Amino acid sequence: MKSPAHRTRDIERQAGYLKPEHCAPPPPRTGSDTMWFIRDGCGIVCGIITWLLVFYAEFVVVFVMLLPAKNVAYSLFNGVLFNGLAFLALASHARAMCTDPGAVPKGNATKEFIESLQLKPGQVVYKCPKCCSIKPDRAHHCSVCKRCIKKMDHHCPWVNNCVGENNQKYFVLFTMYIALISLHALLMVAFHFVFCFEEDWSKCSNFSPPATVILLILLCFEGLLFLIFTAVMFGTQVHSICTDETGIEQLKKEERRWAKKSKWMNMKVVFGHPFSIAWLSPFATPDHGKADVYQYIV
C-alpha cells in the first residue's frame, strides 16, 4: 500500500494533471541572465564573511608569523603553499557561487512544450507547481533559488547557491581547500608558539606580545572551527558522490530508480572523465565524456 506522499507523486507524474493552461510562457533570456547569482541577503552576507575570514587568516599568517621569521626558506615555502591553497579555495568558492547548479528552465510547462515532448501513451512527467516547469527525475525545488535544481544536494548559504549537478565539483574543492588551509594555519600557529616561548616575544613578531597572542588565538579558533566543519562536509559530499545519492534523496529516503554505478564512475560523473589533474582545478569545467550522468533502471 502506497503512502499519501507516493500517491500525490504519482498524480503529479500523470500528464493529465499537468494543467499547462495555468503556466505562462518562460521569460526570454537577457544579457543579465548570463551569470548565475542568487540575490539572497543571508547568502550574500555569509559569502562576504567567508572571504573576510580567509583574508584575516592571510593577514595573520603572512604579517604575524611568516614575515618576522628569520628562516627565509621556511617563510617562502609556507607562504607560497598557504597563499596557493587560499587562492584555490576562494576560486572554488566563486565558481560554486556563480555557476548555474542545474536549474530547470522556469515556466516551461506550457501546452506547446508538453506537446513537443511527444509523450507516448502511459508515459508520465513531473511538473513543479511552484516554478511551473517540467521537472526531470532527481530534480528538487529550492525555495531560496526559486527554481528546480537537477540532482540538488542542498542549498548552502556559505556559497549563496544550491549544490547541484553542475557545481558540486567546485563545492567539494572549496571544502577541501578550506580544510587544508585551516590545518596548515593550525600547524604554523603551533610552531610559532613554540618558537616564541623559546625566544623573546618581541623578536618573533612585528606586533606587541599581547596583540600577537590575541591574533594567534583568534586564528586558532577560526582554523579549528573551519577544519572540523569543512572536513565533515567534504567527507559527506564524497560519500554522497560515491553512493550516487544526494543529501535530499537520503533525507527523504526516495526510492532508487537509477542504475547503480561503480564508485569510481560516480566520481567521474562529478569531476570529469577521465581522471586528470583537472579534478583539483576550480577553473576546469568537468567533461563527463563516457560517464553517463543519468542511467535509469528499465
Side-chain angles (χ1 to χ4, degrees):
M1 183 176 178
K2 294 184 178 181
S3 65
H6 286 154
R7 288 199 296 270
T8 303
R9 196 177 185 88
D10 291 341
I11 289 174
E12 289 177 357
R13 287 176 63 96
Q14 296 178 21
Y17 288 87
L18 291 178
K19 298 180 181 179
E21 65 276 5
H22 293 171
C23 292
R29 290 185 63 85
T30 61
S32 60
D33 294 329
T34 55
M35 189 183 79
W36 179 271
F37 185 78
I38 301 300
R39 294 173 178 85
D40 174 59
C42 176
I44 293 174
V45 170
C46 288
I48 293 174
I49 290 175
T50 300
W51 280 63
L52 290 178
L53 288 173
V54 174
F55 287 146
Y56 171 77
E58 285 269 4
F59 170 77
V60 177
V61 167
V62 174
F63 292 98
V64 177
M65 292 191 289
L66 296 183
L67 287 182
K70 298 178 181 179
N71 192 326
V72 178
Y74 172 84
S75 298
L76 185 62
F77 172 78
N78 285 285
V80 170
L81 179 60
F82 186 86
N83 284 280
L85 292 175
F87 173 75
L88 290 173
L90 293 179
S92 301
H93 183 273
R95 289 300 302 271
M97 179 170 57
C98 298
T99 298
D100 182 347
V104 179
K106 195 172 184 178
N108 68 349
T110 60
K111 183 177 180 181
E112 294 76 12
F113 181 76
I114 295 173
E115 290 176 350
S116 68
L117 295 177
Q118 298 179 345
L119 298 174
K120 299 177 182 180
Q123 188 176 357
V124 290
V125 291
Y126 291 103
K127 172 199 166 183
C128 177
K130 296 178 181 178
C131 60
C132 215
S133 61
I134 299 298
K135 185 162 61 172
D137 284 339
R138 305 192 70 182
H140 294 84
H141 185 86
C142 174
S143 58
V144 179
C145 297
K146 296 180 175 58
R147 298 286 289 274
C148 284
I149 307 297
K150 298 176 184 176
K151 290 186 70 177
M152 174 181 170
D153 186 87
H154 69 288
H155 183 92
C156 178
W158 295 104
V159 297
N160 189 35
N161 202 1
C162 275
V163 178
E165 179 179 289
N166 295 339
N167 69 341
Q168 190 173 25
K169 171 192 172 180
Y170 310 125
F171 181 76
V172 173
L173 291 181
F174 166 66
T175 58
M176 181 183 75
Y177 287 127
I178 289 293
L180 288 176
I181 65 173
S182 298
L183 178 61
H184 189 200
L186 288 172
L187 291 175
M188 284 191 289
V189 168
F191 281 118
H192 199 74
F193 266 117
V194 171
F195 172 76
C196 287
F197 276 125
E198 294 178 351
E199 299 287 338
D200 186 1
W201 274 87
S202 60
K203 295 181 180 180
C204 68
S205 176
N206 293 330
F207 297 85
S208 64
T212 301
V213 172
I214 292 174
L215 290 171
L216 292 177
I217 289 177
L218 289 176
L219 180 61
C220 276
F221 179 76
E222 176 193 343
L224 187 61
L225 188 66
F226 268 73
L227 175 60
I228 295 173
F229 177 76
T230 55
V232 170
M233 183 59 70
F234 174 77
T236 303
Q237 286 293 302
V238 172
H239 177 266
S240 176
I241 293 171
C242 290
T243 57
D244 192 18
E245 192 174 22
T246 66
I248 289 184
E249 289 166 348
Q250 294 175 11
L251 185 64
K252 292 185 174 182
K253 298 181 180 180
E254 294 186 357
E255 179 185 357
R256 190 185 186 97
R257 298 184 304 276
W258 53 95
K260 187 175 182 180
K261 301 186 290 288
S262 67
K263 295 179 180 178
W264 186 241
M265 181 58 69
N266 290 331
M267 293 289 288
K268 289 180 180 179
V269 168
V270 174
F271 291 95
H273 182 92
F275 170 76
S276 68
I277 193 66
W279 278 28
L280 302 177
S281 172
F283 304 102
T285 302
D287 180 14
H288 299 304
K290 298 179 181 179
D292 191 1
V293 181
Y294 294 100
Q295 191 176 28
Y296 295 95
I297 302 174
V298 181

